[in-house]
Amino acid sequence: MREIIIDNRESGQRFDKYLKKYLRQAGSGFIYKMLRKKNITLNGRKASGNELLSEGDSVKMFFSDDTFEKFTAGAPDRENEARIRKYDVEILYEDDDVIFLNKPVGLLSQGDGKGGVSLVDILSSYLAHTDERSGKPSGFRPGICNRLDRNTSGVVAAGKTVRGLQELSEAIRTKTVHKIYACVVEGQVDEGKCLKGYLTKDSAKNIVSVSDVKTEGASYIETIYRPVKTNGLVTLLEVELVTGKSHQIRAHMANEGHPVVGDVKYGSKIKQPAGYQLLHAHKMVFDKTADVPASIAGLVIEAQIPVHYIRYFE
């Protein structure tokens, strides 16, 4: 028999979801069978799996050590760990529940199933080496709350605990956090504007299109921008995402006739030596209201605008 006491990382999630992450090598059928047979109990009682866990809850698993090890073991990926160590990702802010990272260009936010290193891998490795509980299996995996394209840099928010992940996700859902981007676009832009429209995604080609007219399957989008400086050929913009859809800024600015510099997918004609679009998640600003958890209310997270953006205007 093994007993696990739920800690603050893991509280707040459904019991069955916790078990699927803790017994990560086991199938759902095995887990629900163990629940039905009371081979897995919660606080000494039979559980269905839909209970919400609280810190201090007792989970007992009544099966052999061999079975336990079989379903909690994960073969260490030493090659992936070596690749992870090559990345030096800046931590912008961290507390017990949340962490904000400055994602570099070229790094996936989440794994794509092809074995490449992602920001989630780097975060998991970091927490494994800094958390005193890391030597034990856990029913929580750190998760990010705002995904950036591979070649978009900047602020990414992540939860170190279920509570942190839920609070960040709720702030994004209720728009009590403002996501501010910096980008360099082609052409001279003299005035700010609020852009509204509808976005349709072609998943097969990984490209989106913007229209003023709603069509079937299209999502409403809203983007606010203001010029910061221009040299007549290109303009540095501050852009706020009111909605947050895939490729929204890139497609909206291209639709305005001002594609992001280096974004050949959306029509940029100016070559960017490094071969990627000049789009950077610059700030996340959390409202200071009763609707925002005290731990993140009023928080301003900023990732410095890359130096090579500014060089266009020197």
Side-chain angles (χ1 to χ4, degrees):
M1 187 274 288
R2 296 287 183 96
E3 181 179 16
I4 301 102
I5 303 300
I6 299 301
D7 63 29
N8 70 309
R9 292 177 300 174
E10 302 154 339
S11 65
Q13 63 183 313
R14 277 176 52 127
F15 188 29
D16 53 358
K17 290 185 177 180
Y18 165 87
L19 291 171
K20 289 173 185 177
K21 286 178 281 190
Y22 194 100
L23 300 169
R24 55 187 178 275
Q25 304 295 342
S28 296
F30 172 83
I31 290 171
Y32 288 116
K33 180 180 178 181
M34 293 298 100
L35 288 169
R36 288 193 303 271
K37 296 179 69 174
K38 292 184 67 175
N39 287 340
I40 300 176
T41 63
L42 178 62
N43 296 323
R45 296 186 294 273
K46 184 176 181 180
S48 65
N50 62 2
E51 299 85 357
L52 286 181
L53 296 175
S54 298
E55 186 173 356
D57 281 347
S58 167
V59 178
K60 292 182 179 178
M61 302 186 186
F62 296 90
F63 35 83
S64 70
D65 288 346
D66 287 345
T67 300
F68 184 86
E69 296 298 335
K70 173 184 176 182
F71 289 131
T72 59
D77 189 341
R78 293 183 177 86
E79 183 180 345
N80 204 45
E81 277 295 318
R83 292 199 299 266
I84 286 172
R85 286 195 292 272
K86 294 180 181 178
Y87 287 90
D88 183 18
V89 176
E90 179 187 8
I91 297 173
L92 301 169
Y93 175 86
E94 179 181 11
D95 62 24
D96 290 341
D97 293 313
V98 300
I99 185 169
F100 294 82
L101 306 166
N102 186 5
K103 187 188 87 66
V105 165
L107 182 66
L108 288 169
S109 294
Q110 293 179 312
D112 60 1
K114 298 179 181 179
V117 174
S118 71
L119 190 64
V120 171
D121 295 326
I122 293 169
L123 175 58
S124 298
S125 178
Y126 167 74
L127 295 179
H129 287 91
T130 57
D131 193 327
E132 62 184 13
R133 301 159 296 189
S134 62
K136 304 175 183 178
S138 174
F140 175 72
R141 296 290 178 269
I144 62 173
C145 302
N146 61 310
R147 286 183 295 177
L148 300 179
D149 295 335
R150 180 194 291 269
N151 289 328
T152 298
S153 58
V155 180
V156 173
K160 295 170 60 178
T161 64
V162 172
R163 180 176 64 185
L165 190 59
Q166 290 174 340
E167 289 181 351
L168 287 172
S169 298
E170 181 66 7
I172 291 172
R173 187 189 70 81
T174 58
K175 298 183 175 60
T176 52
V177 57
H178 305 275
K179 294 177 285 185
I180 312 296
Y181 287 69
C183 63
V184 181
V185 300
E186 295 186 6
Q188 180 168 325
V189 180
D190 296 316
E191 296 182 352
K193 193 173 181 181
C194 178
L195 304 175
K196 300 179 181 182
Y198 297 92
L199 179 147
T200 303
K201 184 172 183 178
D202 184 337
S203 297
K205 296 180 179 179
N206 191 29
I207 196 167
V208 304
S209 58
V210 174
S211 172
D212 293 332
V213 180
K214 182 174 176 57
T215 57
E216 185 177 356
S219 300
Y220 174 77
I221 56 173
E222 187 171 343
T223 310
I224 300 171
Y225 69 83
R226 70 173 186 86
V228 177
K229 58 179 64 178
T230 184
N231 62 11
L233 297 176
V234 296
T235 303
L236 176 66
L237 298 181
E238 180 180 87
V239 183
E240 179 173 357
L241 281 179
V242 180
T243 58
K245 300 299 181 182
S246 178
H247 296 193
Q248 179 177 322
I249 294 174
R250 298 165 63 185
H252 237 163
M253 296 313 305
N255 196 58
E256 283 289 289
H258 298 288
V260 177
V261 169
D263 193 1
V264 294
K265 178 174 282 190
Y266 290 98
S268 174
K269 299 295 192 296
I270 298 177
K271 290 185 178 180
Q272 211 287 103
Y276 55 83
Q277 68 269 7
L278 297 186
L279 178 61
H280 177 72
H282 181 35
K283 293 180 186 178
M284 293 187 80
V285 181
F286 292 85
D287 288 345
K288 194 170 186 178
T289 67
D291 296 329
V292 182
S295 59
I296 57 176
L299 204 59
V300 178
I301 307 298
E302 181 173 347
Q304 187 174 1
I305 297 174
V307 173
H308 59 280
Y309 285 34
I310 308 303
R311 287 176 181 160
Y312 277 86
F313 307 96
E314 293 177 345

